[in-house]
Amino acid sequence: FFFFFFFFFFQAEDGIRDAQESRGLGDVYKRQVLMIDHGFEQPDYYEKLYSLITPEAFASRHRADLLKLLDLSLKSSMLSTYVVAAVIKRVARVSLLAPGPSLYFTLPFLRQLLHRHPNCIALIHRTSRDAVVKGCAEEEDETETEVTLARKETGLRNVAKLFAGEDPYNYEEPTLERCNAIHSTLWELS
């Protein structure tokens, strides 16, 4: 009986043999240690981390641990802007839905991320010049590919929505690239 309990306990706790995708903050922390300390590549790490940012997590007593993990994971200046922008936007949105004391943690965290990743400053300040009409993108550079032009036009349409009063950010979208956070603003902070 002891051997069975010992074997079953460690088999369930090592995180390798179970069928679950993620077991929460501890699982993400273990992956983060593997990525940073040992160079292990985890392709869906940031999406799992993004999925942990919920109002329930900010209402729990572990919100400081979650923000430390986010801070540690987003320290690299080599991260894509859309990843950092999605995390910034999600934290700002969740801080509206979480209890008031969570703002003591989230506001300095958001300031630090914006300072560390200057490409995300567009979330705070956008000019009407960014909302160019459709078709102007082709006149700038004719050597760009059709995919690049399509992305640019989509981005310009999303920025134009901002000036029409619509937020292109999709809170329910689990994919970092498709949530359109980079084309949004941090209206949650105003």
Side-chain angles (χ1 to χ4, degrees):
F1 175 74
F2 177 73
F3 177 72
F4 177 73
F5 176 74
F6 184 77
F7 177 74
F8 178 75
F9 179 76
F10 283 107
Q11 183 177 5
E13 285 298 315
D14 66 359
I16 296 173
R17 295 180 188 94
D18 60 3
Q20 290 180 331
E21 284 288 316
S22 175
R23 293 181 297 186
L25 190 59
D27 187 47
V28 173
Y29 176 73
K30 289 176 190 174
R31 291 172 190 235
Q32 192 262 343
V33 168
L34 286 172
M35 286 174 56
I36 289 179
D37 293 346
H38 304 291
F40 180 71
E41 181 64 33
Q42 187 70 29
D44 57 348
Y45 171 76
Y46 289 102
E47 289 184 7
K48 288 183 191 262
L49 190 64
Y50 181 75
S51 70
L52 288 175
I53 306 170
T54 61
E56 294 81 19
F58 276 38
S60 76
R61 62 184 176 152
H62 301 291
R63 70 177 159 248
D65 295 332
L66 175 61
L67 289 173
K68 285 179 188 174
L69 180 63
L70 285 169
D71 183 46
L72 201 60
S73 300
L74 299 172
K75 279 196 182 215
S76 174
S77 61
M78 302 301 288
L79 285 173
S80 297
T81 304
Y82 73 90
V83 172
V84 180
V87 170
I88 289 172
K89 185 69 177 173
R90 180 85 171 225
V91 168
R93 180 72 58 95
V94 166
S95 66
L96 287 179
L97 304 171
S102 66
L103 289 175
Y104 291 119
F105 295 98
T106 58
L107 290 177
F109 173 72
L110 292 174
R111 182 197 165 280
Q112 186 177 24
L113 280 180
L114 289 169
H115 182 70
R116 190 182 300 148
H117 299 279
N119 290 340
C120 293
I121 293 294
L123 292 173
I124 293 177
H125 179 70
R126 250 184 238 283
T127 62
S128 59
R129 181 179 59 142
D130 295 333
V132 181
V133 248
K134 182 180 176 184
C136 291
E138 290 112 22
E139 297 171 5
E140 291 177 6
D141 189 24
E142 296 179 13
T143 61
E144 295 182 276
T145 64
E146 290 181 25
V147 175
T148 306
L149 289 174
R151 284 184 184 165
K152 191 180 281 189
E153 285 182 17
T154 303
L156 293 174
R157 267 187 267 124
N158 286 334
V159 171
K161 284 181 185 179
L162 284 174
F163 292 100
E166 298 177 35
D167 189 3
Y169 175 68
N170 185 1
Y171 179 76
E172 281 83 24
E173 176 63 46
T175 311
L176 295 169
E177 193 171 8
R178 293 183 188 157
C179 71
N180 290 326
I182 193 64
H183 303 294
S184 183
T185 61
L186 285 177
W187 61 264
E188 295 91 349
L189 298 181
S190 60

